Amino acid sequence: MGKLGKKARKFAKKNLQSVDKRNRKLKPFFKKKFAKKNGRRDVGDEKEEKKVEQKPKKRFPEEDPQDISIDDVFGKDDDEVHHDGDSDSDGYLDEDPAAVKGAEGEISDSKMSMQSKASLSELKKQRRKLAKLNEKLVDEADSDKSKRKVLSGSVLGTCCDLVDEEQSVQALVRLLNWYRAACHYGHEPSGIASPDICYDIEDNETYAKVMIFVLQKADHTFRNILGLSDSSNKEKILKLKNNPKWDSLKPLVKSFLRSTMYLVKHAADSEMIIFGVTQLRVSIVFFAAFPDLLKKLIKISIHLWVTGEDTLSQQAFLTLKDISMVFNSECFDTCLINMYKAFLHDCDIPKANSEQRLLFLRDSLVELCSQDVQKSYTKASVSITQLAKLLKMALTTKNKEAVEKIHSGQYTNCVDLWVNFIAANVQDCDLKPLVYTIVQVINGVAQLIIGPRYLLLRVKCIQWLNQLSRTSGIFIPIASLVLDMLEYKTTNDGEKQEQELQAVSTVKLPKNWLKSQNFQEQCIFSVIEVLAVHFAQWSFHISFPELATIPIMRLKYFYERSNMEGLKRVVKRFIEQVESNIEFVQRKRDDATFSPNDQQSADMFMQLEKQNAKAPYTQYYQSIIDKARGTKKKK
C-alpha cells in the first residue's frame, strides 16, 4: 500500500487517535474503576494508590480520648503484690522443746552476766512449768501419728503469765500458733508446717482472750526481748540482722504480722478489724524486715480506706500515713499513686453517702500529699497536664467522648483534689506554676458547654477559683462566669420541686428541673453567694470600686426585669451593701497621698480596716457565706 496523501495524513492525525494516545486518555478511568487481576502494579499505579489511601491528618494525630486516662496517668506499674495460694501464711511455728530452748538460751546467755542466782532459779522453774504444760497440751487422737492440741482457759492463763512476766519464748511460740489458728478460724488452713498437729480452742471465751492478749502484748514482748524502745525506727530494725536474738525472734514476728493481716483481710466483725489495724500500726516498724509483707499491708490498707466504714477507713488511712512517714523514700510514691487510683475509681461508684465519703477520701489524699510537697508537686503537675490535654481536645474538636470524660465524676474530683492540695500548701511552697495551669483548666471546663443544665458544674468551678484566689492572694477574675448565670432563660410553669438542687449527684441537671421555681432561685442565690465570697476578699482593696461596678450594673438590670418579689428583695439588699462599700473605699482612696505606681503603699491600703471583723460590709458578706454553709450542712 502506498503512502497516504497529504490530505489523508492530515485527516488521520486529526480524527484517528493512535493506540498510545488512547491508552493515556483512558488510563485514569480504568485505574479508578477496575483493579488489575494479576495483582501486578506499575510504579505509577502504586504512587496513585498511596495518595488515595492516605487519610487526612488529624489535628491531634497522637491522641484519642480513650488514650488519655486520668486514673492511669502515673503508669500501670503500681508495685502490686500477686498473691499465690499460700502467701498469707508460713504455717505454724515449730514447738520442738530443743529448738525453743536453744532460742531461749541465746536470749538468756546475753543476760547471764546481769542475772543473779535467784533469776537463774526462776528460769529453771519456768522451764519446769513449760514441761508440765507440754504434757497437758498433747492429747492422743484416733491414730498414733495425729496430735490434737486444745487450748483451754487454764492453759491460756499459764501461757499468758509466762509471756507477760518472764518473756518466755516457748510460751510465746505456742500462743502465736493458737493465735494463727484463731485468725484462720472458719477458713481452711494453708501452709501448715506439721500436718499431723491440729490446733483447737476450747470455747468462745478462750478464743476472745487469746486474740486480745496476743494483739495487745505481742509488740511489747518483742521489743522487750530485743531491747527496743517504742520510738525505735526502721534503721534499728535493719541493724538487728546480725543479732542472734533477732534470728530467733524473726519467725515469731513474721507469724504475728501475717496472722494479723489475714485477720484484717478476712474477718467479718468490723470492731475486730479496727482492733487489728490499730495494732498493725503499733508494729509498723517491724515491717522494715519484711518488704513483701509491707507491700501487702499497703494494698490491704488502701482497700479498707476506700471501702470501710468511717472509723475503719480513718484507721486504714493513718496506717498508710505512718507507712509513708516511716518508709518515706521507698513507700511514699507507692501509697500516693495507689491511693490516687483508688480514689478516682471510687468516684464513679454510686453510694448512699458518696458526697461525704469523697470529701473524706480527698482530704486524706491532700494530707498525705502535704507530707512531701516536692514529690507531690511532680505528680500533681503530670496529672494536671493530662487534664489540660483532654480539655484542649474537647474544646478544639468537640469530641463527644472527650466532653463526656470532662463531665464525669473522675475529672471533676481530680480537679477538686489538686485545687485543695494547692490551697493547703501554696502559702508555704512555691506552687504558682500549678496555680496558673489549674486556673486555665477550670476556666476551660466552665466555658466548655454553656447552658442552665450545667449550673452546678459552673458554680463548682467558680468556687474553686475563689478558693485558689483566697489562699494564694492572687486576683482571679470570676465576674464573667458569674454574671452569665443571670442570663439563663427559665420558665415558672412547673411546680416547685420538693427535691433540692444540691441533692443531684450528676453534673448535668434533668430538663424538667429547669422549669421549676427552685432552679431560678438557686441560680440567683448561687450568684449572690459566689460574689459575696469574691467581694469579701477584695472589699478593702484600693481597686474595689472598679471590681464591683459591672456586677452591680448587671444585678440592677436583673432587678428591674424580674417579677419574683422574694428574689428582688435579696438582690436589692446585696446591691445596697456593695454600693455602700464602694462609696467607703472611694472616700478613703480620695484621701490617699501616694501615687498609683507605688505598689507597696497600694498593697498596704486600708489594712487596719481590713483587720476589723466588725465592719458592716464584712459582717454582711460573712452572713451570706455562713448561711450558704449552714444550708449545705443541713441538706
Side-chain angles (χ1 to χ4, degrees):
M1 184 177 176
K3 292 183 178 180
L4 295 172
K6 184 177 179 180
K7 290 184 178 181
R9 290 196 303 272
K10 187 175 179 181
F11 177 85
K13 186 177 180 181
K14 183 177 180 181
N15 297 294
L16 300 178
Q17 297 177 350
S18 64
V19 175
D20 292 336
K21 188 174 181 180
R22 180 173 179 272
N23 288 341
R24 284 195 302 270
K25 187 174 182 181
L26 296 177
K27 187 177 181 180
F29 173 80
F30 284 111
K31 277 184 181 177
K32 292 179 183 178
K33 288 290 185 182
F34 309 106
K36 292 188 177 181
K37 294 181 181 180
N38 57 7
R40 297 178 182 176
R41 299 287 186 272
D42 295 336
V43 177
D45 295 345
E46 291 178 358
K47 290 181 180 179
E48 290 289 336
E49 289 179 359
K50 285 181 181 179
K51 288 181 182 179
V52 173
E53 290 175 359
Q54 282 181 352
K55 296 181 180 179
K57 292 184 179 180
K58 295 182 179 179
R59 191 156 188 175
F60 298 94
E62 76 286 354
E63 297 289 357
D64 186 81
Q66 298 294 337
D67 299 333
I68 305 178
S69 181
I70 301 172
D71 53 346
D72 287 336
V73 65
F74 303 128
K76 296 184 179 180
D77 185 15
D78 54 355
D79 294 330
E80 287 189 1
V81 180
H82 299 284
H83 293 263
D84 51 24
D86 299 331
S87 62
D88 284 331
S89 174
D90 281 339
Y92 292 100
L93 298 168
D94 188 5
E95 292 187 18
D96 183 14
V100 178
K101 185 175 179 181
E104 286 190 334
E106 290 178 352
I107 296 170
S108 61
D109 288 343
S110 63
K111 298 181 181 179
M112 188 74 74
S113 59
M114 305 291 294
Q115 289 178 331
S116 61
K117 293 182 179 180
S119 300
L120 291 173
S121 63
E122 289 294 329
L123 185 61
K124 291 178 181 178
K125 289 180 182 179
Q126 173 192 339
R127 288 176 178 170
R128 283 197 294 269
K129 286 182 182 179
L130 287 171
K132 291 180 181 179
L133 182 63
N134 195 37
E135 293 176 1
K136 291 181 183 180
L137 294 175
V138 180
D139 185 16
E140 295 295 334
D142 297 336
S143 62
D144 295 331
K145 293 183 179 180
S146 63
K147 297 178 181 179
R148 181 170 175 265
K149 294 188 175 183
V150 181
L151 178 63
S152 63
S154 59
V155 173
L156 175 62
T158 306
C159 284
C160 291
D161 291 340
L162 289 171
V163 171
D164 209 7
E165 298 173 5
E166 308 290 343
Q167 278 82 48
S168 169
V169 178
Q170 188 174 356
L172 182 59
V173 168
R174 286 174 176 156
L175 279 178
L176 288 174
N177 279 337
W178 274 308
Y179 174 69
R180 183 197 177 281
C183 291
H184 288 72
Y185 181 77
H187 301 271
E188 285 199 6
S190 58
I192 298 177
S194 303
D196 57 336
I197 298 178
C198 176
Y199 290 88
D200 200 359
I201 299 174
E202 189 176 54
D203 51 29
N204 293 338
E205 186 178 355
T206 308
Y207 173 88
K209 284 182 179 179
V210 70
M211 293 285 286
I212 294 172
F213 181 84
V214 174
L215 283 171
Q216 287 181 335
K217 299 292 184 178
D219 180 82
H220 181 69
T221 305
F222 294 146
R223 291 177 187 269
N224 281 347
I225 294 174
L226 295 170
L228 297 174
S229 63
D230 293 339
S231 59
S232 299
N233 53 21
K234 65 173 183 177
E235 284 75 18
K236 289 187 178 180
I237 299 296
L238 295 174
K239 287 179 182 177
L240 292 173
K241 289 183 177 180
N242 301 323
N243 192 327
K245 296 181 186 179
W246 175 247
D247 293 338
S248 304
L249 278 181
K250 185 176 179 180
L252 280 68
V253 176
K254 190 174 185 181
S255 176
F256 168 71
L257 296 178
R258 279 185 175 274
S259 298
T260 308
M261 288 170 62
Y262 191 91
L263 171 70
V264 166
K265 187 176 178 182
H266 295 92
D269 183 51
S270 60
E271 293 184 2
M272 182 61 73
I273 298 174
I274 293 170
F275 191 32
V277 172
T278 305
Q279 296 310 309
L280 284 174
R281 279 187 62 206
V282 176
S283 304
I284 205 79
V285 70
F286 285 110
F287 282 90
F290 313 104
D292 291 340
L293 290 185
L294 181 60
K295 292 179 181 178
K296 292 179 183 178
L297 178 62
I298 293 174
K299 187 175 181 180
I300 293 171
S301 300
I302 289 175
H303 176 72
L304 295 176
W305 172 65
V306 174
T307 61
E309 298 297 330
D310 295 341
T311 307
L312 178 57
S313 185
Q314 290 172 5
Q315 288 298 325
F317 167 67
L318 291 174
T319 303
L320 292 166
K321 186 180 176 182
D322 289 349
I323 291 172
S324 62
M325 291 177 67
V326 175
F327 309 95
N328 185 29
S329 57
E330 298 92 346
C331 295
F332 180 82
D333 284 350
T334 304
C335 291
L336 176 57
I337 292 172
N338 286 281
M339 287 175 70
Y340 172 83
K341 291 180 178 180
F343 167 69
L344 291 184
H345 181 266
D346 194 64
C347 291
D348 291 333
I349 301 175
K351 294 180 181 177
N353 58 342
S354 58
E355 187 176 353
Q356 248 182 353
R357 178 145 196 83
L358 286 175
L359 288 177
F360 167 74
L361 297 180
R362 181 204 69 190
D363 293 341
S364 301
L365 257 176
V366 170
E367 187 176 346
L368 183 76
C369 292
S370 300
Q371 286 187 354
D372 193 333
V373 178
Q374 192 63 36
K375 286 185 177 180
S376 302
Y377 179 93
T378 306
K379 303 296 182 187
S381 179
V382 173
S383 179
I384 295 172
T385 303
Q386 197 80 342
L387 297 176
K389 275 185 182 179
L390 191 58
L391 177 64
K392 185 178 179 182
M393 178 179 293
L395 289 170
T396 308
T397 64
K398 298 296 182 183
N399 185 288
K400 186 177 179 181
E401 292 181 6
V403 174
E404 287 178 354
K405 272 194 172 185
I406 289 173
H407 290 155
S408 67
Q410 276 196 356
Y411 194 97
T412 53
N413 281 284
C414 188
V415 174
D416 188 43
L417 168 66
W418 297 125
V419 166
N420 281 272
F421 165 70
I422 295 169
N425 299 281
V426 70
Q427 292 290 341
D428 302 323
C429 308
D430 184 17
L431 301 180
K432 289 184 179 178
L434 287 184
V435 174
Y436 175 79
T437 310
I438 199 72
V439 167
Q440 299 302 313
V441 170
I442 294 169
N443 279 319
V445 172
Q447 296 174 359
L448 179 60
I449 295 182
I450 301 173
R453 296 187 69 182
Y454 296 91
L455 170 70
L456 297 183
L457 179 59
R458 177 167 284 239
V459 171
K460 190 64 180 174
C461 290
I462 298 168
Q463 289 172 346
W464 286 332
L465 295 176
N466 275 336
Q467 184 179 2
L468 291 171
S469 178
R470 184 180 65 257
T471 54
S472 65
I474 300 172
F475 174 74
I476 301 175
I478 64 162
S480 60
L481 297 177
V482 176
L483 298 175
D484 286 347
M485 289 157 51
L486 294 174
E487 304 300 325
Y488 288 161
K489 293 181 179 179
T490 59
T491 61
N492 299 328
D493 299 336
E495 296 180 359
K496 191 165 183 176
Q497 299 283 344
E498 293 181 1
Q499 292 174 304
E500 297 292 338
L501 291 179
Q502 295 293 339
V504 179
S505 60
T506 57
V507 175
K508 196 174 182 180
L509 293 173
K511 286 185 178 180
N512 63 315
W513 286 49
L514 306 185
K515 299 179 180 181
S516 68
Q517 185 178 342
N518 271 351
F519 177 76
Q520 192 168 12
E521 290 177 355
Q522 185 68 25
C523 287
I524 305 306
F525 291 151
S526 299
V527 169
I528 298 297
E529 178 190 340
V530 294
L531 280 179
V533 175
H534 188 56
F535 289 166
Q537 182 184 355
W538 306 103
S539 57
F540 294 102
H541 197 270
I542 196 169
S543 61
F544 181 77
E546 288 76 16
L547 169 67
T549 298
I550 293 178
I552 291 302
M553 290 174 61
R554 295 284 295 272
L555 285 171
K556 284 182 177 179
Y557 178 71
F558 172 81
Y559 175 79
E560 290 173 357
R561 64 192 180 97
S562 177
N563 56 2
M564 299 180 67
E565 292 300 326
L567 291 178
K568 290 181 71 172
R569 283 196 299 270
V570 175
V571 173
K572 184 178 180 182
R573 170 74 171 156
F574 185 76
I575 292 172
E576 290 174 351
Q577 291 293 327
V578 176
E579 285 183 335
S580 180
N581 193 4
I582 292 173
E583 293 174 2
F584 177 68
V585 175
Q586 188 66 51
R587 287 197 304 270
K588 292 288 185 179
R589 192 166 69 174
D590 293 341
D591 296 336
T593 58
F594 55 86
S595 167
N597 296 328
D598 189 353
Q599 187 64 41
Q600 185 176 0
S601 298
D603 292 337
M604 297 299 295
F605 180 74
M606 291 179 66
Q607 285 300 309
L608 294 176
E609 291 83 352
K610 187 176 181 179
Q611 295 174 2
N612 183 15
K614 295 182 179 180
Y617 322 111
T618 305
Q619 290 181 344
Y620 174 72
Y621 297 141
Q622 193 61 43
S623 67
I624 295 176
I625 298 169
D626 292 341
K627 186 177 179 181
R629 288 174 182 168
T631 305
K632 289 177 183 177
K633 286 181 181 179
K634 187 177 179 181
K635 290 173 182 176

